[in-house]
Amino acid sequence: MKLSVRLVALAAVLVTAACAPQTSGTSSPGQDEKSGTLRVWLFQEVNNEPKERLVDSVVAEFEKTHEDTDVTVEYIPVETRAQRIRAAFNDPRSAPDLVEYGNTDTAGYVKDGGLADVSEEFAAWDEAEDTDPTARQSVTVDGRVYGVPYFVGVRALYYRTDVFEELGLEVPRTQAELISTAKRIRAARPELYGIAVGGAYTYGAMPFLWAHGGELATGKGGSYASAIDRAEAHRGIEAYTSLFGDDNCPAAKCAGMGGNDTVTAFASGKAAMAIGGDFSRAAVEAGEVRGAYAVVPLPGVERGSIAPAFAGGNNLGVLKSTSHRTLAVDLMKRLASKETQGRLFDAMGFLPTFSDVRREVAAQEPFVKPFVETLAAGTRFVPASPAWARIDSSQVLPTMFQEIVSGRKEVDAAAEDAARKMNEAFGSAG
């Protein structure tokens, strides 16, 4: 008899648990058993119940197909994922067979030797051909594929329709218009930020850098060099940091703000605009501006253009240590299939990674349209290097922005220091 799917919500304190082996059977890695217990780790969401119901249904169908196979699903906190997953890499007895992971973690996990190369299975999957290029890039390292994209998230421009109507403003169509509009709002309504920005909001700043022709880094195949100190990047940095000041978002208050802080400022009615994700909708709908806002793609430099957005999101990957590779790959594809991603959007609002499925959900839900347009215009990703985790956790880019907006350094000097730190990280990553 099959066991029921066990859904385990982990406790917040995981340091001890991360190091404790969890028995998954006596099978040795390298085997490919076609029955037994398959262990899955997925991320725990703020409201996890809809995700659990969907996963339950997929697992039930999977178990019907595979006799004498049971699946246990464990939901782990996103904040402590790195410790838990890396501990599993080092101790196969505690490791799941299949894991959800953040798409910026791919290169680091590959370097750690934890993820299985599924290039052949991905190429043979008929649905894979409709995966958008950036999502495909997020599971690719040195030309090899280490998982499947699960969902994608991008950011666009939220704005207060009531404030724009009151002040007779047009929706900005260029970044120059965005900056001038923000400052006009602040002058007319000094109790508001024209647009809420944050010195620690890396993914809100990147579209300014990319729209001006800048790059985070150049290179490929694991060998990268920072490009943050080049002229094109400087122009984007200058555009973004020009929004910090008493004429829009005072540096004393905004330099330390991150993405959640800027969305909270908008949702609470303290800002007329903000750069938020499709995943920010629930927070905005729960705030003071419910019913009085709209969303458009963040404009680029040229009128009518869309600034390249960072393509965030999560992937699913099979661990190299699994003794159930065939089963794990099958369940991975089922959880990330077109049908399941469509249902995941309905349940959680997560955007599908398949271009055709995204078009379908956009036709059903008008709110999604600006985010789908942003994706269609072309998104960007961080360097596919294990060094990115160090660069990100060391706050290299937020430090650069904060040094500039505080007046401690000019753009050239701050960018040069950031480039040096990035290159040190790239060098140490081999």
Side-chain angles (χ1 to χ4, degrees):
M1 180 180 295
K2 292 185 182 295
L3 298 175
S4 61
V5 179
R6 298 191 294 273
L7 302 176
V8 183
L10 296 182
V13 180
L14 286 169
V15 176
T16 301
C19 301
Q22 299 181 20
T23 302
S24 58
T26 59
S27 301
S28 300
Q31 294 179 318
D32 190 11
E33 299 181 0
K34 303 303 191 294
S35 64
T37 299
L38 199 66
R39 300 181 63 236
V40 181
W41 289 358
L42 300 177
F43 289 165
Q44 187 171 12
E45 311 298 337
V46 175
N47 178 15
N48 207 53
E49 187 176 346
K51 184 176 183 179
E52 291 181 16
R53 288 197 299 267
L54 173 57
V55 171
D56 278 356
S57 67
V58 174
V59 166
E61 288 300 316
F62 173 85
E63 289 184 333
K64 287 180 182 178
T65 304
H66 299 281
E67 293 185 3
D68 301 319
T69 299
D70 304 307
V71 178
T72 63
V73 181
E74 194 169 348
Y75 291 91
I76 67 174
V78 176
E79 296 79 9
T80 54
R81 71 188 187 279
Q83 302 97 300
R84 187 71 190 274
I85 292 174
R86 284 198 162 95
F89 291 166
N90 294 324
D91 183 1
R93 292 175 300 170
S94 73
D97 301 278
L98 178 64
V99 66
E100 178 179 357
Y101 64 93
N103 64 7
T104 58
D105 295 328
T106 306
Y109 289 170
V110 170
K111 184 183 180 184
D112 291 341
L115 295 176
D117 181 342
V118 294
S119 300
E120 293 184 8
E121 292 94 335
F122 188 83
W125 187 25
D126 56 358
E127 294 191 354
E129 64 182 6
D130 293 319
T131 301
D132 78 53
T134 306
R136 184 186 298 260
Q137 180 187 351
S138 78
V139 294
T140 304
V141 178
D142 295 339
R144 309 301 295 175
V145 177
Y146 293 90
V148 296
Y150 192 30
F151 65 84
V152 67
V154 291
R155 293 162 177 82
L157 182 66
Y158 285 71
Y159 70 96
R160 291 269 301 273
T161 51
D162 56 341
V163 173
F164 272 66
E165 182 177 351
E166 174 194 334
L167 300 180
L169 300 172
E170 297 290 330
V171 178
R173 299 289 302 279
T174 67
Q175 288 191 358
E177 290 180 6
L178 174 65
I179 294 167
S180 63
T181 299
K183 294 180 178 181
R184 285 181 62 187
I185 293 169
R186 177 73 172 178
R189 297 279 302 273
E191 77 279 10
L192 295 176
Y193 303 139
I195 179 171
V197 288
Y201 192 8
T202 302
Y203 297 120
M206 284 179 179
F208 290 81
L209 185 148
W210 287 325
H212 285 80
E215 298 285 353
L216 292 172
T218 58
K220 61 180 180 178
S223 178
Y224 287 90
S226 176
I228 202 77
D229 55 346
R230 297 184 182 179
E232 297 85 355
H234 285 187
R235 289 195 289 270
I237 295 168
E238 288 169 352
Y240 185 68
T241 55
S242 73
L243 290 165
F244 293 81
D246 292 341
D247 57 355
N248 175 56
C249 201
K253 294 183 178 180
C254 302
M257 286 168 51
N260 288 343
D261 299 319
T262 64
V263 171
T264 298
F266 179 82
S268 63
K270 296 178 181 178
M273 294 184 284
I275 300 167
D278 53 283
F279 41 83
S280 304
R281 184 184 187 184
V284 175
E285 282 289 303
E288 297 296 321
V289 299
R290 177 184 174 91
Y293 73 93
V295 185
V296 295
L298 184 70
V301 174
E302 301 297 327
R303 186 171 181 80
S305 67
I306 296 174
F310 167 72
N314 289 352
N315 301 328
L316 297 173
V318 173
L319 267 68
K320 187 181 291 186
S321 60
T322 183
S323 58
H324 299 89
R325 180 186 174 104
T326 298
L327 291 172
V329 169
D330 183 24
L331 182 56
M332 176 178 70
K333 291 191 291 186
R334 289 170 184 254
L335 287 170
S337 70
K338 290 185 177 183
E339 178 184 357
T340 306
Q341 287 196 22
R343 293 170 62 195
L344 188 64
F345 170 79
D346 292 337
M348 305 293 295
F350 296 156
L351 285 176
T353 64
F354 299 103
S355 301
D356 54 340
V357 182
R358 277 207 300 265
R359 288 192 295 269
E360 293 172 7
V361 301
Q364 299 167 11
E365 175 53 81
F367 171 81
V368 177
K369 184 179 178 182
F371 300 101
V372 173
E373 290 176 348
T374 298
L375 285 162
T379 53
R380 306 290 281 276
F381 197 58
V382 299
S385 167
W388 181 255
R390 173 179 165 184
I391 293 167
D392 194 29
S393 64
S394 299
Q395 300 284 296
V396 172
L397 297 181
T399 297
M400 176 188 71
F401 293 127
Q402 290 163 354
E403 288 175 340
I404 295 167
V405 303
S406 67
R408 296 198 302 272
K409 290 182 182 177
E410 297 295 326
V411 171
D412 290 4
E416 184 177 341
D417 284 350
R420 176 180 52 77
K421 294 174 185 176
M422 290 175 71
N423 286 331
E424 288 174 355
F426 288 135
S428 68

